[in-house]
Amino acid sequence: MTDADQRGSDQTGTARQRSALITGAAQGLGEAIAARLHAEGFRVVLADLNLEPAAEVAARLDPSGRTARAIEMDVSSANSIRGAFARLVADDGAPDVLVNNAGRTVRRSVWEIDVDEWDAVLETNLRSYLVLCQLAGAAMRERGWGRIVNMSSFAGQQGGLVAGAHYAASKAGAIVLTKIFAGELAAHGVTVNAVAPAAIFTPAMGDETAAAEIGRGLPVGRVGTAEEVAEAVAYLVSVRSGFVTGTTLDINGGVHMR
Ligand SMILES: NC(=O)c1ccc[n+]([C@@H]2O[C@H](COP(=O)([O-])OP(=O)(O)OC[C@H]3O[C@@H](n4cnc5c(N)ncnc54)[C@H](O)[C@@H]3O)[C@@H](O)[C@H]2O)c1
């Protein structure tokens, strides 16, 4: 894969560097995905609730700010998403690639989830995917090329190992939303896929001792890395993956086989 592979042409036929919007990119999987897509030649926009750490990641990728920058976006608010997206389009044009990754993991027994917490988790983890797929997907359809990847989870297939039913339901919703947008956009050069990780070592997991303990319980004997998830996302947003749409790619060390 070279930079040239990620160059598209605008309506005037001029080659331009493709751009990727990644939500929740201040740390963890989003940070690794932003770094990987930047290395693949994309201009990356790192959206996060926490602007400062996202800006630090962007500055590490490109201190000049030309090919990596951060924007503030609270995905739990449709207004915040719409405002940030409109500013991005005005400054930069609509993104060629969208990675819906921002999410919150809430641990709670199904008996103890109150409806306010249920709504809050669904708003952040699922409604945000709907709003961003609508906004970015419409622009991609018009352009005739685009890639969307929605971060799901093993929890959305089998129920959570640790996370609550609201989290699991949001991640199951991400899988079917992926199929619906994939069907809508398939004829327009736009693919929409989901990724379903489990047990990936990110700040949420704790220290390396805790990770090793979790890893021993998995068929492959270790936890996954954020870079392994980023590798899969890099394929799904590349020009090479145009025949792959509506699928969910499991990245789980063999803990769930379909
Ligand atoms: N780490 C895993 O093992 C694993 C497994 C399955 C699925 N996932 C999914 O992958 C994604 C990333 O997970 P992670 O482990 O990197 O999580 P993380 O908690 O390390 O990072 C999440 C990022 O999202 C941002 N964020 C949270 N709420 C936001 C909001 N309202 N608006 C904008 N940004 C917000 C946070 O600031 C943070 O930068 C999530 O959707 C998660 O559900 C992770």
Side-chain angles (χ1 to χ4, degrees), residues 164-253:
H166 36 16
Y167 175 83
S170 72
K171 294 301 180 182
I175 291 173
V176 78
L177 194 64
T178 295
K179 293 179 187 178
I180 291 166
F181 275 105
E184 290 287 323
L185 294 168
H188 302 278
V190 181
T191 68
V192 187
N193 291 288
V195 170
I200 309 298
F201 186 53
T202 64
M205 192 180 272
D207 61 17
E208 291 198 7
T209 314
E213 179 62 32
I214 293 167
R216 275 193 287 277
L218 301 177
V220 300
R222 65 170 178 86
V223 294
T225 67
E227 289 69 29
E228 286 172 312
V229 177
E231 176 73 30
V233 175
Y235 168 68
L236 290 173
V237 306
S238 74
V239 291
R240 304 183 305 273
S241 64
F243 206 56
V244 180
T245 197
T247 193
T248 298
L249 178 56
D250 299 345
I251 309 179
N252 61 29

Side-chain angles (χ1 to χ4, degrees), residues 23-30 47-50 73-76 100-105 124-125 129 151-154 167 171 196-205:
T23 67
Q27 65 175 41
L29 299 188
D48 208 284
L49 186 60
N50 298 320
M73 182 190 284
D74 175 1
V75 301
S76 70
N100 271 320
N101 167 78
R104 32 185 309 225
T105 310
T124 301
N125 290 10
Y129 286 21
M151 198 58 67
S152 177
S153 171
F154 164 71
Y167 175 83
K171 294 301 180 182
I200 309 298
F201 186 53
T202 64
M205 192 180 272

Side-chain angles (χ1 to χ4, degrees), residues 12-247:
T12 65
T14 311
R16 54 175 192 82
Q17 188 180 21
R18 286 199 164 118
S19 64
L21 170 64
I22 303 112
T23 67
Q27 65 175 41
L29 299 188
E31 176 181 358
I33 292 164
R36 179 59 198 265
L37 298 194
H38 187 257
E40 295 283 346
F42 287 97
R43 224 156 15 91
V44 290
V45 179
L46 296 85
D48 208 284
L49 186 60
N50 298 320
L51 182 59
E52 208 175 299
E56 284 166 18
V57 174
R60 277 201 300 279
L61 296 176
D62 179 2
S64 80
R66 277 194 297 274
T67 61
R69 69 190 187 92
I71 61 170
E72 192 171 350
M73 182 190 284
D74 175 1
V75 301
S76 70
S77 154
N79 283 341
S80 170
I81 295 174
R82 292 198 182 102
F85 193 87
R87 285 189 291 279
L88 176 63
V89 171
D91 291 351
D92 237 18
D96 302 280
V97 166
L98 165 67
V99 183
N100 271 320
N101 167 78
R104 32 185 309 225
T105 310
V106 180
R107 297 170 191 223
R108 188 87 61 211
S109 154
V110 69
W111 303 107
E112 289 164 8
I113 295 171
D114 68 44
V115 292
D116 290 340
E117 187 176 89
W118 175 275
D119 288 350
V121 171
L122 271 286
E123 277 167 13
T124 301
N125 290 10
L126 185 58
R127 192 181 66 187
S128 65
Y129 286 21
L130 169 76
V131 175
L132 274 163
C133 283
Q134 287 173 334
L135 291 168
M140 291 172 189
R141 182 178 57 196
E142 202 165 306
R143 192 178 274 157
W145 195 91
R147 299 281 185 265
I148 297 176
V149 175
N150 293 322
M151 198 58 67
S152 177
S153 171
F154 164 71
Q157 300 163 315
Q158 289 291 302
L161 289 173
V162 287
H166 36 16
Y167 175 83
S170 72
K171 294 301 180 182
I175 291 173
V176 78
L177 194 64
T178 295
K179 293 179 187 178
I180 291 166
F181 275 105
E184 290 287 323
L185 294 168
H188 302 278
V190 181
T191 68
V192 187
N193 291 288
V195 170
I200 309 298
F201 186 53
T202 64
M205 192 180 272
D207 61 17
E208 291 198 7
T209 314
E213 179 62 32
I214 293 167
R216 275 193 287 277
L218 301 177
V220 300
R222 65 170 178 86
V223 294
T225 67
E227 289 69 29
E228 286 172 312
V229 177
E231 176 73 30
V233 175
Y235 168 68
L236 290 173
V237 306
S238 74
V239 291
R240 304 183 305 273
S241 64
F243 206 56
V244 180
T245 197
T247 193

